[in-house]
Amino acid sequence: MSYKFAIIVNPVAGKGKTVHNLPLLKEIAAKTKSRFDYFITEGPLHATKIADRIHQEYDAVVAYGGDGTANEVMNGLAGTETPIGVIPEGTGNDFARCINVPHKFERAIQILDEYKTRLMDLGTIGNRVFINGVGVGFDAYVNVKTKSLKMLKGSMAYLYSVLSSLAFWKSLPLAIEIDGCPISTDRSFLVAVGNGWACGGGLKLNPQANIHDSLLDVCLIPEMPVWKLFLNLRRLKDGTIAEVPGVLTMRCQAINISSEKPLPVHFDGEIFDAGAGEVDIKIVPQSASVVGAW
């Protein structure tokens, strides 16, 4: 069976690898029975406008880029029945990991052509939609630094940014409510909210998070000495960060985080607000469709 796919190409994703590798992608896609049309974005949020305009003409709209590209595409598809697909070529590619799409064109195209769709949850932060996760505090600070790196990508870029940022970041006094119940007004190092399990290029702050379970997973790391954070960095890779004394993990449908000091916040790897005073984050269960390897 053949399908019709719109491929939205972010030319700056993966430090320009999308455009460089686009001829190869087209060559591989042309060998299938399906039709692939290509749309090149021209700036921030353009992918959202394209997806919103064209989605009714296609069986799926596919983000060719990283998590930020997928986020923009989903913000254009939210509220529709058109599935999102992903061809990963970004820095982190965490959403692709959550739907089992590897960084190989042949397999990514094959997954699209198999067209196995499934409903997934979306998150909201303010008036924007996110597909994978939100980071508040150190996580967002590291995200900004990671994007400035020229040579590294994925988890190596994230880990380098973590190490180089530890000496500069100061924990923030946060007021946090989980499903309307206050849980903390202490200083916190970071709060990671996961719809999907991966962050920072495959690291695991919320290893049990699942985009299909109608819940958000939350990891709260309190203020702690730098040496203790350093000694536990391996736990970001193996998913055992919750075993560190003082670290809290929870599941919820809504979380509110506020502070008297500016909060750096990212969603799906993109900066939401470098100086927000408050953020409301909620889950919208089973509200979008996605093509993945199930």
Side-chain angles (χ1 to χ4, degrees), residues 68-122:
T69 309
N71 175 284
E72 288 197 16
V73 170
M74 182 58 84
N75 271 273
L77 296 178
T80 78
E81 296 182 357
T82 306
I84 187 174
V86 173
I87 299 173
E89 192 72 277
T91 300
N93 302 316
D94 290 309
F95 181 64
R97 288 181 172 85
C98 294
I99 61 174
N100 304 311
V101 178
H103 190 204
K104 293 183 179 180
F105 285 159
E106 291 85 355
R107 180 57 181 148
I109 292 295
Q110 181 184 21
I111 289 169
L112 290 173
D113 221 31
E114 290 171 352
Y115 200 70
K116 296 179 180 178
T117 64
R118 189 173 176 185
L119 289 176
M120 63 169 283
D121 309 325
L122 293 178

Side-chain angles (χ1 to χ4, degrees), residues 17-29 64 105:
K17 284 189 176 181
T18 45
V19 171
H20 182 266
N21 293 329
L22 185 56
L24 176 60
L25 174 62
K26 288 183 175 181
E27 179 183 335
I28 294 170
Y64 175 38
F105 285 159

Side-chain angles (χ1 to χ4, degrees), residues 240-285:
T240 60
I241 192 67
E243 295 179 13
V244 178
V247 173
L248 298 178
T249 58
M250 298 148 281
R251 285 180 173 163
C252 65
Q253 294 180 318
I255 176 171
N256 176 277
I257 304 171
S258 62
S259 177
E260 294 180 358
K261 295 187 176 182
L263 292 171
V265 181
H266 83 81
F267 67 130
D268 293 336
E270 299 300 311
I271 298 305
F272 174 72
D273 193 332
E278 181 177 8
V279 287
D280 271 304
I281 303 165
K282 298 177 181 178
I283 195 76
V284 186

Side-chain angles (χ1 to χ4, degrees), residues 176 178 183 206 216-220 248-252 255:
I176 302 172
I178 298 286
I183 66 157
N206 288 298
L216 295 168
D217 283 48
V218 180
C219 176
L220 190 160
L248 298 178
T249 58
M250 298 148 281
R251 285 180 173 163
C252 65
I255 176 171

Side-chain angles (χ1 to χ4, degrees), residues 19-281:
V19 171
H20 182 266
N21 293 329
L22 185 56
L24 176 60
L25 174 62
K26 288 183 175 181
E27 179 183 335
I28 294 170
K31 295 177 182 179
T32 73
K33 294 181 180 180
S34 295
R35 172 178 167 179
F36 293 80
D37 295 336
Y38 299 86
F39 301 83
I40 311 295
T41 64
E42 298 176 356
L45 302 181
H46 192 203
T48 298
K49 295 177 182 177
I50 295 172
D52 180 57
R53 187 180 76 245
I54 67 168
H55 70 88
Q56 291 181 324
E57 304 171 28
Y58 293 92
D59 293 300
V61 179
V62 181
Y64 175 38
D67 293 319
T69 309
N71 175 284
E72 288 197 16
V73 170
M74 182 58 84
N75 271 273
L77 296 178
T80 78
E81 296 182 357
T82 306
I84 187 174
V86 173
I87 299 173
E89 192 72 277
T91 300
N93 302 316
D94 290 309
F95 181 64
R97 288 181 172 85
C98 294
I99 61 174
N100 304 311
V101 178
H103 190 204
K104 293 183 179 180
F105 285 159
E106 291 85 355
R107 180 57 181 148
I109 292 295
Q110 181 184 21
I111 289 169
L112 290 173
D113 221 31
E114 290 171 352
Y115 200 70
K116 296 179 180 178
T117 64
R118 189 173 176 185
L119 289 176
M120 63 169 283
D121 309 325
L122 293 178
T124 62
I125 176 169
N127 62 353
R128 297 296 302 277
V129 164
F130 68 90
I131 53 178
N132 190 59
V134 172
V136 178
F138 183 75
D139 192 22
Y141 182 79
V142 166
N143 187 268
V144 173
K145 190 171 184 67
T146 301
K147 288 183 178 299
S148 70
L149 298 178
K150 302 294 184 183
M151 302 301 293
L152 298 175
K153 64 183 297 185
S155 60
M156 288 302 297
Y158 188 85
L159 283 171
Y160 174 84
S161 297
V162 167
L163 290 171
S164 60
S165 300
L166 281 173
F168 300 99
W169 178 251
K170 303 298 181 184
S171 297
L172 294 171
L174 301 182
I176 302 172
E177 290 187 356
I178 298 286
D179 289 335
C181 298
I183 66 157
S184 174
T185 55
D186 296 328
R187 299 184 72 89
S188 299
F189 188 73
L190 69 80
V191 181
V193 181
N195 186 34
W197 62 265
C199 68
L203 301 181
K204 301 173 183 177
L205 279 167
N206 288 298
Q208 303 303 316
N210 187 313
I211 61 172
H212 309 292
D213 67 0
S214 302
L215 293 169
L216 295 168
D217 283 48
V218 180
C219 176
L220 190 160
I221 299 181
E223 184 176 38
M224 60 178 62
V226 171
W227 63 265
K228 188 173 182 180
L229 292 165
F230 183 80
L231 288 177
N232 285 288
L233 283 178
R234 66 175 178 82
R235 296 186 182 277
L236 297 178
K237 292 282 287 183
D238 63 22
T240 60
I241 192 67
E243 295 179 13
V244 178
V247 173
L248 298 178
T249 58
M250 298 148 281
R251 285 180 173 163
C252 65
Q253 294 180 318
I255 176 171
N256 176 277
I257 304 171
S258 62
S259 177
E260 294 180 358
K261 295 187 176 182
L263 292 171
V265 181
H266 83 81
F267 67 130
D268 293 336
E270 299 300 311
I271 298 305
F272 174 72
D273 193 332
E278 181 177 8
V279 287
D280 271 304
I281 303 165

